[in-house]
Amino acid sequence: METAPIINAFKRVLGESNLAIGDRQTEHYRKGWRSGEGEALAVLFPTTLMQYWEVLKVCVEFNCIIIMQAAKTGLTEGSTPSGDDYDRPVIVINTLAMDDIVLINDGRQVLSFPGATLFKLEKMLKPLGRAPHSVIGSSCLGASIVGGVANNSGGALVKRGPAYTELSLFAQIDENGELNLVNHLGVDLGDTAEEIIGNLSSGNFEKSLPETIKKASASDYEEIVRDVNADTPSRFNADPTRLYEASGCAGKIAVFAVRLDTFEVPKKEQTFYIGTNDAAVLTRIRRDILSTFDNVPEVGEYLHREMFDIADKYGKDTILSIERLGTDTLPKMFALKGRVDAVLNKLPFMPRYLSDRVMQFGSKLFSDQIPASLRAYRDKYEHHLILKMSDEGIEEARRLMSKLFKEEKLDGDYITCNEEEASKAFLLRFAAAGAAVRYQMMHHKQVGDILALDIALRRNDEFWVEKLPEHIAKHVEKPLYYGHFFCHVFHQDYILKKGSDAKKVKADMLALLDSRGAKYPAEHNVGHLYEAESRLQQFYRELDPTNTFNPGIGKMEKYKRNCSCCL
């Protein structure tokens, strides 16, 4: 197909500076954070919502595949092309430049544009004594708000559950191939697409809005997570109750804005660090807190000792970077690292993973970042739980800890953390996912691939510590476990032995999880790594009947669909 007319049309809308073409210029945006890459004719960087709308029109006019992308922090290859077997030209639209956030209803809610990040929202809300629907959880810095909503991201907050809203503004291609702008924000912005986009962009709308029956957060999640006797998971990607237009859309529509609740900041918070060698003790804590406390935790994060060690050694530079540079600069720094790696990896005389090797070596020059109290618990205990309670929940937790470890003398103990201990504990947990990848990189000559799963166990599953059968265990060099304990959502990273077949091991692992009643993925979307369940496939087809947006996710077809009968 002649590509010059398409490129020229994009240039007329964006100018040359906001358009990338050619393999080298587009490489960073065609590769996933952990894995996955594919071809793309161009990467577009619209800076306004009107430019965004205009380039979507060009894509439809020239019959292009559209792949939506923000911070590219997903772990399942869902925001990048996959392979070179598409039947139409592939266009990646990166939305990060459109990062406005509008406070509405005195900051009790916000309207987020497609590129706005959680960090920006958190900073904006802080003077108001309010907090976002989510905080950065377990993998990457710089995650976008809309990306979290689109991918059912869960994060670490026990009370708030997955990112969710029923109030959004989005562009959709109908079964006749027509591009439509759908305003379900609950905000009067006009009638035509141009009026709606113009009024939203200029802030020309009422900022005090009446109550609506439509949800702007997963307001029922606390009730769900408290039901510790339920035979199903508390949250998972294909949960039909969390699939609604932009929520869970996985890039099958082009989201222009979402409306979300914000939350009052607690007056007091206290972190407890709990260690034990008996996993049943942590099960008891989880069940007692969720079923008997008046207040559920703010956060409850699990680390196995092996993961503690990996995060301690191979995530040390992440901990140092956050402490020394702050969170504002890190997303840009990691994006720059990605571009540098893309260049260096093409030079045959350069060693693989050079930037990671330099960062790993540099971290050794700094002193131990882990407080002595936490390191003592690492030496003494196999299982670690970082528990943050707020307000009246703090005393509830103190009483339970005293009862379990002082009166009943169960195996284990706890630390009432000071500010440094709490900060370092959460930084260690945050560094875990990246540290697992770093370990595999540093030892790629000695070990095989990394198999990364995020799974949701049944809420009543008391045997959450995995025991791998021999036919799987023999292929695993190092199993690494961490996760959102009270939600029963776990990240399980397996460093495989050299020569092991990662696809075969994964298939066996997923069969094992199926037998346990687990759901996967729990919070990173199916992307190109998992097969979408039938209800999720139906949802994708309803959103995108012509299969123009992000075709192939969920192991679905990549070819164009042309009629409503395919729904």
Side-chain angles (χ1 to χ4, degrees), residues 198-453:
N199 286 327
L200 179 61
S201 299
S202 63
N204 183 29
F205 56 91
E206 181 60 51
K207 308 303 189 299
S208 294
L209 301 172
E211 293 289 327
T212 171
I213 61 171
K214 299 289 189 182
K215 291 183 178 183
S217 63
S219 54
D220 58 341
Y221 185 71
E222 183 174 332
E223 179 183 351
I224 291 169
V225 78
R226 279 183 177 275
D227 188 358
V228 295
N229 295 314
D231 198 35
T232 55
S234 60
R235 57 179 170 93
F236 57 98
N237 189 256
D239 182 353
T241 68
R242 297 289 180 239
L243 302 176
Y244 192 98
E245 296 178 344
S247 296
C249 71
K252 298 298 285 183
I253 52 178
V255 180
F256 279 64
V258 293
R259 179 174 164 186
L260 293 162
D261 291 331
T262 69
F263 299 86
E264 193 172 355
V265 172
K267 297 179 179 64
K268 295 185 298 181
E269 291 184 329
Q270 177 61 59
T271 297
F272 300 92
Y273 195 94
I274 302 159
T276 180
N277 289 309
D278 183 358
V281 172
L282 296 190
T283 299
R284 168 83 180 275
I285 290 171
R286 174 180 173 270
R287 292 181 66 86
D288 281 2
I289 288 178
L290 292 178
S291 61
T292 68
F293 277 26
D294 290 332
N295 304 273
V296 299
E298 297 290 328
V299 181
E301 294 293 290
Y302 170 77
L303 272 177
H304 187 270
R305 177 192 278 152
E306 190 94 48
M307 189 72 252
F308 184 115
D309 291 344
I310 295 293
D312 177 24
K313 183 174 181 179
Y314 295 93
K316 187 177 179 180
D317 60 302
T318 299
I319 295 171
L320 285 163
S321 297
I322 293 174
E323 284 201 318
R324 306 289 172 104
L325 300 177
T327 55
D328 289 346
T329 60
L330 289 184
K332 292 181 180 178
M333 187 183 80
F334 284 121
L336 176 61
K337 175 184 175 296
R339 294 186 186 95
V340 170
D341 287 344
V343 174
L344 293 180
N345 289 342
K346 285 186 167 58
L347 302 177
F349 54 86
M350 286 289 185
R352 292 181 69 186
Y353 315 121
L354 180 61
S355 65
D356 284 278
R357 292 181 183 280
V358 170
M359 294 169 72
Q360 185 63 32
F361 176 79
S363 69
K364 296 177 182 179
L365 303 178
F366 291 84
S367 60
D368 188 2
Q369 295 299 299
I370 306 301
S373 55
L374 302 189
R375 193 163 295 288
Y377 268 48
R378 178 264 165 230
D379 294 339
K380 192 173 182 180
Y381 300 116
E382 179 183 1
H383 304 289
H384 300 246
L385 178 64
I386 310 165
L387 174 66
K388 182 190 286 188
M389 302 297 298
S390 61
D391 298 333
E392 289 78 12
I394 296 171
E395 285 308 312
E396 287 186 296
R398 287 189 202 276
R399 289 194 295 271
L400 178 63
M401 297 300 112
S402 179
K403 176 185 177 185
L404 297 182
F405 298 119
K406 301 294 190 291
E407 296 175 25
E408 297 187 22
K409 300 190 184 304
L410 297 185
D411 177 88
D413 207 346
Y414 71 100
I415 300 167
T416 302
C417 294
N418 59 32
E419 189 174 332
E420 181 194 16
E421 289 167 333
S423 173
K424 289 295 175 65
F426 282 114
L427 282 172
L428 185 72
R429 166 63 185 88
F430 175 80
V437 175
R438 173 71 61 77
Y439 174 89
Q440 193 274 337
M441 286 179 176
M442 295 298 98
H443 298 85
H444 71 275
K445 292 182 179 179
Q446 294 81 39
V447 302
D449 292 336
I450 182 171
L451 173 58
L453 303 177

Side-chain angles (χ1 to χ4, degrees), residues 1 10 22 92 105 131 135 148 151 179 245 252 257 273 311 327 330 352 367 372 409 435 446 477 481 509 521 540 544:
M1 178 179 181
F10 289 139
V92 176
N105 293 336
V135 296
N151 291 297
L179 181 68
E245 296 178 344
K252 298 298 285 183
Y273 195 94
T327 55
L330 289 184
R352 292 181 69 186
S367 60
K409 300 190 184 304
Q446 294 81 39
E477 180 76 23
Y481 301 105
M509 196 78 73
Y540 290 158
D544 181 26

Side-chain angles (χ1 to χ4, degrees), residues 96-165:
L96 281 181
M98 299 174 289
D99 64 350
D100 287 352
I101 299 173
V102 182
L103 299 176
I104 58 176
N105 293 336
D106 299 318
R108 296 190 305 278
Q109 289 187 324
V110 297
L111 294 181
S112 169
F113 285 20
T117 65
L118 283 171
F119 287 132
K120 182 172 182 175
L121 178 56
E122 192 170 9
K123 284 179 64 178
M124 182 179 285
L125 293 175
K126 191 172 184 180
L128 304 179
R130 300 192 71 81
H133 61 287
S134 182
V135 296
I136 199 67
S138 58
S139 56
C140 305
L141 291 159
S144 71
I145 296 165
V146 168
V149 171
N151 291 297
N152 299 117
S153 296
L157 297 180
V158 180
K159 294 179 179 179
R160 298 174 203 169
Y164 180 75
T165 186

